[in-house]
Amino acid sequence: MAAPAVLWRRIRGPGLMALLARLCDRNRDRGGRTPLFLLAPLVAPTDPPATTQRPTLGCVRPRGAHRFQWVGDLVPEFGISSSSVKILSSPAEFYQVMKTQVKAAKKRITMASLYLGTGPLEQQLVDCIEETLQKTSQTDLQVSILLDYTRGSRGKKNSRTMLLPLLRRYPDRVRVSLFHTPNLRGLLRLLAPERFNETIGLQHMKIYLFDDNVILSGANLSDSYFTNRQDRYILLQGCQDVADFFNELVMAVGDVSLQLKPDDTIHTEEGMEHPYEGDKAKYCEAAKRRVLKVIETARHKQCELHSASFQSREPALGTEPPDTWVYPLIQMKPFGIQIDELVTETLLTEAERGDQIHLTTGYFNLTQGYMDLVLGTRADYNILLASPEVNGFFGAKGIAGAIPAAYVHIEHQFYNEVCKQGQRLRVQLREYFRDHWTFHAKGLWLYPAGKSLPCLTLIGSPNFGYRSVHRDLEAQIALVTENQDLQRQLHQEQQHLYEPSEEVTPATFQHPSRYVKLWVKLVTPLIKNFF
């Protein structure tokens, strides 16, 4: 199905509702419903205009292989073998695979995460990187690490102090970049205290790359994500083109970030606008050009490969026809890039009657646009979210301790709307609970009507909430497969996540743990756009 036809149907009916709702979201954000110390962004220059990344190259490739080929008119399409895909199921497996991949790396280790923790497990990972650097030649292995500046600089012992010894020993082979959102500047930067300044915007991508192998996940580099914090993880093995793309993406964001030096100072790359001291519009435009160049270069390359294969009617020499396709989806609203949002909204709009969509998020705070599409479109939805006890903020000190209650309030409001519109049979909510665990998994599985296995999944860093759409830098993939073995693996992953959960009913909100104080209810509308 051609992209123009898809996009036309997207703006009709519920799609139009979602578009209008998104505009309302934007107006509400600019309407001043924020705590006093967060008012500064409202007088700052507006964000650059968003791009829906309309295709500039007609890509010739066989049609009809799967119903989601229209995504390839917006982003690079990587055809791979299903045998290259491995679904990881637990934090412990994720950690062990990470260390194994680090030790086996020969030419590059590239990591993008929100932060690196400071515990013994994180130190072991850093030690593995150092050991690998020691055993390789002076120029073969290059290490690039991209983290968020505010989160990575929190406290005296932090991500920076963890990486400084590595940077000092191998200054020519290790690069540490710290992304600083351009929206945290001026008076706001001076007034917003530590932790609160992270609400303005973050580097939130989770990409872990070793030579031609890449892990896409929502997990950060921290001990809980290696032990008892449930997330999702997918390993693509021997996929050079995919790995090259994500390596270039991390490098592009790294280029527009602050560079950590061995003396713990930070500097911009030569000729680059400073993210919070320089001109915001110039910085965002330069960053946008850098990221879009990566996307368009990869897209042109893949289109040329598709065209050559199509014209010769044979796959490239030494390769088999792909049965699985990877589409990278990027969301960087501070730079005006909204590809992930466009594709996600189109997927929800285009889902057919009888399709089953399983959607999960550790932080249930859907944008108004996504909520309208869930309530107004045809597919059946089964939404998995964290119970308050497994929310990452449960038991936190101060204001943060009230965040789980705020999510309960948002969940209750959405559930009431489902009931009010008579959608309880079509839209179901489930809460994940597991003793001594927290829940951070996010993503989507699409089961075609009449099928018992999914053919598409979204996996990566976005939470489908306001932050993911408007504030943070996000990356995920849409993975489409025709291979039944891989479809079964995806189904088992979905079942594994949903198993320790219970359906939300009216009785759920009568439980004492769902009690929400009045002040939390009053404050939630003011702050929900920041978490």
Side-chain angles (χ1 to χ4, degrees):
M1 187 180 298
V6 171
L7 296 175
W8 165 243
R9 285 203 301 276
R10 170 179 174 266
I11 66 172
R12 297 187 307 169
L16 180 58
M17 291 173 58
L19 179 61
L20 293 174
R22 192 168 66 192
L23 293 175
C24 290
D25 260 2
R26 186 178 304 161
N27 290 334
R28 280 198 295 271
D29 183 40
R30 293 174 181 171
R33 303 193 311 163
T34 57
L36 288 178
F37 70 85
L38 295 176
L39 290 177
L42 305 179
V43 296
T46 58
D47 287 332
T51 176
T52 52
Q53 193 56 23
R54 294 292 190 267
T56 58
L57 175 68
C59 188
V60 178
R61 61 182 183 276
R63 291 285 177 176
H66 62 80
R67 64 191 254 198
F68 307 105
Q69 280 199 327
W70 56 267
V71 184
D73 291 327
L74 303 171
V75 298
E77 177 186 79
F78 301 100
I80 64 173
S81 169
S82 56
S83 62
S84 301
V85 182
K86 181 177 182 181
I87 309 296
L88 311 182
S89 61
S90 70
E93 184 181 14
F94 168 60
Y95 183 58
Q96 291 303 319
V97 169
M98 287 275 287
K99 291 201 297 182
T100 300
Q101 291 290 325
V102 166
K103 293 175 181 179
K106 296 292 190 295
K107 59 179 181 178
R108 61 188 178 191
I109 296 173
T110 302
M111 297 184 178
S113 186
L114 174 60
Y115 69 105
L116 171 70
T118 58
L121 293 179
E122 297 93 315
Q123 187 60 58
Q124 287 180 33
L125 187 62
V126 174
D127 291 344
C128 282
I129 295 175
E130 182 174 3
E131 291 170 9
T132 305
L133 283 165
Q134 288 176 345
K135 72 180 182 181
T136 57
S137 71
Q138 289 299 309
T139 58
D140 283 350
L141 179 66
Q142 296 292 317
V143 176
S144 299
I145 300 174
L146 170 66
L147 305 172
D148 182 74
Y149 174 89
T150 54
R151 183 62 181 87
S153 303
R154 183 201 292 179
K156 292 184 179 180
K157 187 176 182 181
N158 52 42
S159 305
R160 292 165 65 166
T161 59
M162 289 288 289
L163 293 170
L164 279 173
L166 200 63
L167 192 60
R168 288 165 181 159
R169 292 188 188 102
Y170 303 95
D172 297 328
R173 302 173 64 192
V174 175
R175 181 197 201 198
V176 178
S177 303
L178 302 169
F179 173 80
H180 191 295
T181 177
N183 292 326
L184 181 64
R185 56 177 48 235
L187 184 62
L188 176 63
R189 193 172 189 275
L190 292 174
L191 294 180
E194 196 172 77
R195 293 179 183 265
F196 286 97
N197 57 11
E198 297 168 24
T199 65
I200 306 305
L202 296 166
Q203 191 308 106
H204 200 247
M205 299 187 296
K206 320 297 169 62
I207 300 165
Y208 307 113
L209 192 151
F210 317 92
D211 293 342
D212 294 335
N213 305 329
V214 59
I215 298 174
L216 276 299
S217 179
N220 292 303
L221 298 174
S222 180
D223 55 359
S224 62
Y225 292 92
F226 302 150
T227 53
N228 63 347
R229 188 157 171 77
Q230 183 64 60
D231 215 300
R232 297 181 66 206
Y233 337 83
I234 190 166
L235 170 62
L236 307 177
Q237 304 173 91
C239 300
Q240 181 179 344
D241 288 347
V242 180
D244 286 347
F245 171 84
F246 281 108
N247 185 70
E248 287 300 313
L249 177 66
V250 174
M251 292 298 182
V253 177
D255 288 346
V256 301
S257 300
L258 299 169
Q259 308 303 313
L260 182 65
K261 300 301 179 182
D263 60 358
D264 199 23
T265 59
I266 52 170
H267 302 278
T268 58
E269 291 281 13
E270 185 176 354
M272 187 63 212
E273 195 78 20
H274 198 283
Y276 62 85
E277 293 179 352
D279 183 278
K280 180 181 177 182
K282 289 182 180 178
Y283 171 81
C284 290
E285 182 58 34
K288 178 181 178 179
R289 285 198 307 269
R290 183 71 178 86
V291 172
L292 289 183
K293 182 179 179 181
V294 172
I295 297 171
E296 279 304 302
T297 298
R299 188 171 173 276
H300 277 69
K301 178 181 178 182
Q302 292 306 307
C303 282
E304 290 172 355
L305 291 174
H306 294 323
S307 298
S309 177
F310 179 75
Q311 291 172 5
S312 67
R313 301 185 182 276
E314 294 181 359
L317 185 63
T319 64
E320 297 180 359
D323 60 4
T324 301
W325 296 266
V326 174
Y327 302 94
L329 308 179
I330 312 303
Q331 184 78 8
M332 299 180 178
K333 179 66 181 297
F335 305 156
I337 299 173
Q338 293 177 259
I339 299 171
D340 180 67
E341 181 186 8
L342 171 64
V343 172
T344 301
E345 287 190 349
T346 305
L347 283 172
L348 300 185
T349 304
E350 289 297 300
E352 300 171 356
R353 190 177 304 279
D355 285 352
Q356 295 276 343
I357 292 179
H358 292 256
L359 186 151
T360 179
T361 174
Y363 302 111
F364 184 74
N365 185 21
L366 302 182
T367 65
Q368 189 64 48
Y370 288 160
M371 284 194 290
D372 286 343
L373 285 171
V374 170
L375 292 171
T377 50
R378 299 158 291 188
D380 296 332
Y381 286 85
N382 197 324
I383 301 174
L384 180 65
L385 48 103
S387 64
E389 298 86 351
V390 299
N391 186 292
F393 291 96
F394 186 75
K397 296 180 180 179
I399 296 176
I403 291 179
Y407 282 115
V408 169
H409 183 54
I410 295 169
E411 174 191 352
H412 197 180
Q413 287 182 314
F414 179 75
Y415 183 77
N416 286 340
E417 191 64 27
V418 170
C419 296
K420 179 182 176 181
Q421 296 191 23
Q423 301 289 334
R424 282 184 61 185
L425 294 179
R426 192 180 63 83
V427 181
Q428 296 184 359
L429 301 182
R430 301 188 68 87
E431 286 187 355
Y432 179 100
F433 176 80
R434 187 176 178 184
D435 272 329
H436 308 299
W437 281 63
T438 54
F439 185 71
H440 197 250
K442 70 270 296 189
L444 177 153
W445 301 258
L446 190 147
Y447 292 68
K451 302 292 184 181
S452 59
L453 298 175
C455 63
L456 173 144
T457 190
L458 301 183
I459 181 170
S461 64
N463 279 295
F464 304 103
Y466 190 93
R467 287 192 60 89
S468 293
V469 171
H470 293 276
R471 297 191 178 281
D472 298 341
L473 306 191
E474 306 279 9
Q476 67 176 338
I477 60 170
L479 184 139
V480 180
T481 183
E482 296 177 336
N483 182 272
Q484 287 197 350
D485 287 339
L486 180 53
Q487 290 178 352
R488 274 190 284 271
Q489 291 182 53
L490 292 172
H491 176 67
Q492 290 168 1
E493 178 201 30
Q494 180 265 312
Q495 293 282 292
H496 170 72
L497 289 173
Y498 276 68
E499 184 177 2
S501 69
E502 292 186 358
E503 183 179 352
V504 173
T505 68
T508 301
F509 301 102
Q510 303 303 315
H511 193 275
S513 65
R514 304 306 189 277
Y515 174 72
V516 181
K517 296 179 180 179
L518 178 60
W519 74 267
V520 175
K521 293 180 180 179
L522 295 175
V523 169
T524 297
L526 307 179
I527 64 172
K528 65 180 294 185
N529 292 344
F530 292 89
F531 63 86

